[in-house]
Amino acid sequence: LAIKRYLLLGQGDFVQYLMDVVGPELSEPANRISPFHLAGLLETAIRASDAQYDDRDILDRIKVKMMDHGDGDVGWDVFSLEYDARVPLDTVFTASVMKMYLKIFNFLWKLKRVDHSLTGVWKTMKPNCILSSPFYKEGTSIRAQFVSVLRKCQVLFNEMNHFVTNFQYYIMFEVLEVSWARFSEEMDAAKDLDDLLMGHDKYLTSIVEKSLLGERSLGILRNLFALFDIILQFRSHADRWFERIYELQLRGKGKSKTKTKETGSWLEGGRKAMIQLAGELFLKMGEDLDSIAKDYTASLDSFISQLPLQQHVDLKFLLFRLDFTEYYSRVSSNK
C-alpha cells in the first residue's frame, strides 16, 4: 500500500506538493543537483501533505534516487523515488521487482510532469491576466493580433489538456486502481507464499502491459513520449512568450502626473515602438503555435492510430475516451 501511494503516485496531494517544491530544482542540469537537497524537499512535501500522518516507519523508507545521467540531462530526467523494502519484505520485493516499480514510477512521473506543466500554462494565460493587459485595450489592429494569437494558444492548450486529462484518468483508475483491486482479492485468497508471489507478479505485469510499457508496445510508447515532449515544448514557449509580453507592458507603461483609471499610461514617446515590437512578437507567436500544433496533431494521429493494434483489451477504453466523438478518426480518414 505504501508503494502504491508513493512510488505509484497514488497520494495525490503529496505528489502535487512534491512537484511544486522540486520543479524549479529539477529544471537545473542533473550534475548540479544535490541528492541531499532533494531529500530535504521530499521531507517538505511529506510535511505539507496528508502523507505526514502516515506511519513514520513507512515514511523513513521512502528515499530519493538519482539515476545515472549523461551530458545534457536535467533533474527531471534522473529524479525518482525508491522504497527500502527490508527483511522479510525483500522476499516479495526483490531487486528485479523494485526495478520494475522504478520503471513504472519514471513513466508516471513523466505523465505528472506534463500535467503539471499544462497547469502552469493555464495560470499564465487565464482570462483575468489577459483582460488586464494593455494590448487588450489598444487599437483595433494590435488588439486583433493579440486576441487571435491567444485564441490559438487556448485551442492548442485545450487539445493537449483533453489528451493528458483522459490519459491520466485511464492510467490512474483503469490501470492502477483496477489492477490493485484484483491483486487485493488474490492476496486475500492466497494459501501460501507461492500464491502471493504469483498474484504480485500478475499485478505488476498487468500495470506494465496496460500502461504501454511492455516490449510489444515500444513503438506506441515512443509516440507517447513524443507527445509529452511537444507539450513540454509548448510550456517552454508559453513561458517565454508571456514573459516577453509582460516585459513589453512594463516598458510601455510609465508614471504620469495625471492619473488615469489604470495603474499607468502608455508613454507617448515609446508607444509606437512598443506597438511595433508587440506586433512582431504576436506574429512570431502565431508562427510558432502553428508549428507546434502541426507537430502535435501528427504525433497524436499516429498515437491514436496505433491504439487499436495493441494487444490489451483495456486499451480500447482509452481509445474511446480520447476519441469518443470519432473526430480524430474522421480527420485521419480524410487525409
Side-chain angles (χ1 to χ4, degrees):
L1 187 58
I3 288 176
K4 176 177 179 289
R5 284 178 184 160
Y6 301 109
L7 264 59
L8 302 187
L9 306 185
Q11 186 78 26
D13 61 333
F14 162 75
V15 177
Q16 186 64 46
Y17 279 115
L18 186 62
M19 283 274 176
D20 289 340
V21 297
V22 303
E25 190 78 12
L26 296 184
S27 299
E28 296 293 323
N31 54 11
R32 292 189 198 166
I33 298 176
S34 164
F36 298 105
H37 182 51
L38 290 178
L41 295 177
L42 171 63
E43 185 62 29
T44 300
I46 289 172
R47 292 182 182 278
S49 65
D50 283 348
Q52 64 181 300
Y53 303 115
D54 217 335
D55 190 311
R56 192 67 236 181
D57 180 58
I58 285 175
L59 298 177
D60 288 342
R61 292 170 184 247
I62 303 167
K63 311 286 185 185
V64 168
K65 178 181 175 65
M66 296 290 282
M67 296 180 293
D68 294 336
H69 54 270
D71 295 337
D73 285 340
V74 295
W76 287 107
D77 301 318
V78 299
F79 175 85
S80 62
L81 296 180
E82 62 179 349
Y83 188 82
D84 182 15
R86 301 163 195 159
V87 176
L89 289 177
D90 57 356
T91 307
V92 177
F93 300 104
T94 61
S96 61
V97 164
M98 295 312 293
K99 189 176 180 181
M100 189 75 74
Y101 274 117
L102 179 62
K103 181 179 182 179
I104 298 169
F105 171 86
N106 289 334
F107 172 74
L108 296 176
W109 187 247
K110 281 187 174 75
L111 177 57
K112 289 289 185 181
R113 178 193 177 189
V114 169
D115 178 59
H116 193 260
S117 294
L118 281 177
T119 302
V121 173
W122 167 248
K123 288 177 180 177
T124 304
M125 54 182 262
K126 57 188 176 183
N128 60 332
C129 292
I130 301 308
L131 293 176
S132 63
S133 171
F135 296 117
Y136 189 77
K137 302 166 186 173
E138 270 297 320
T140 307
S141 176
I142 197 67
R143 173 174 173 164
Q145 263 190 293
F146 186 54
V147 170
S148 173
V149 79
L150 288 176
R151 184 176 291 118
K152 281 185 180 181
C153 209
Q154 187 70 55
V155 167
L156 185 55
F157 167 82
N158 287 338
E159 284 192 32
M160 291 177 170
N161 192 54
H162 167 76
F163 172 76
V164 172
T165 299
N166 283 283
F167 187 78
Q168 188 166 229
Y169 177 91
Y170 164 77
I171 294 294
M172 301 311 291
F173 293 98
E174 300 290 345
V175 177
L176 296 179
E177 289 300 330
V178 170
S179 299
W180 175 259
R182 289 173 181 164
F183 177 45
S184 297
E185 292 173 1
E186 294 195 3
M187 275 197 289
D188 292 338
K191 296 182 177 62
D192 52 33
L193 183 59
D194 287 339
D195 288 348
L196 183 62
L197 292 172
M198 190 180 301
H200 185 246
D201 185 55
K202 283 170 62 179
Y203 167 64
L204 270 180
T205 302
S206 171
I207 293 174
V208 167
E209 292 295 328
K210 289 159 66 174
S211 299
L212 304 173
L213 298 176
E215 291 185 4
R216 293 180 295 182
S217 303
L218 292 179
I220 193 171
L221 187 64
R222 279 194 292 270
N223 270 115
L224 179 63
F225 286 162
L227 279 169
F228 287 176
D229 287 341
I230 293 170
I231 293 172
L232 293 174
Q233 180 189 4
F234 173 60
R235 166 66 193 271
S236 177
H237 275 69
D239 284 347
R240 288 200 298 272
W241 293 330
F242 287 100
E243 183 180 354
R244 181 68 178 136
I245 290 172
Y246 184 65
E247 285 175 359
L248 285 175
Q249 289 174 185
L250 290 180
R251 285 176 60 187
K253 276 188 171 184
K255 293 181 179 178
S256 172
K257 291 182 180 178
T258 56
K259 293 286 183 180
T260 64
K261 292 182 181 179
E262 299 172 11
T263 55
S265 60
W266 285 89
L267 286 172
E268 285 303 318
R271 179 179 178 278
K272 188 174 181 180
M274 291 303 103
I275 293 296
Q276 182 179 350
L277 286 172
E280 292 170 0
L281 172 63
F282 298 152
L283 182 63
K284 182 67 167 64
M285 277 179 68
E287 292 171 353
D288 288 345
L289 278 165
D290 289 340
S291 176
I292 294 172
K294 183 179 178 182
D295 291 344
Y296 177 77
T297 301
S299 290
L300 184 61
D301 285 348
S302 180
F303 178 81
I304 288 179
S305 68
Q306 289 184 63
L307 274 177
L309 307 178
Q310 301 306 302
Q311 299 291 326
H312 213 289
V313 67
D314 283 11
L315 286 163
K316 291 180 180 178
F317 293 112
L318 174 59
L319 178 60
F320 175 74
R321 290 192 66 86
L322 292 176
D323 198 20
F324 65 94
T325 62
E326 298 185 352
Y327 168 78
Y328 297 108
S329 303
R330 291 197 303 272
V331 169
S332 297
S333 62
N334 290 333
K335 287 182 179 178

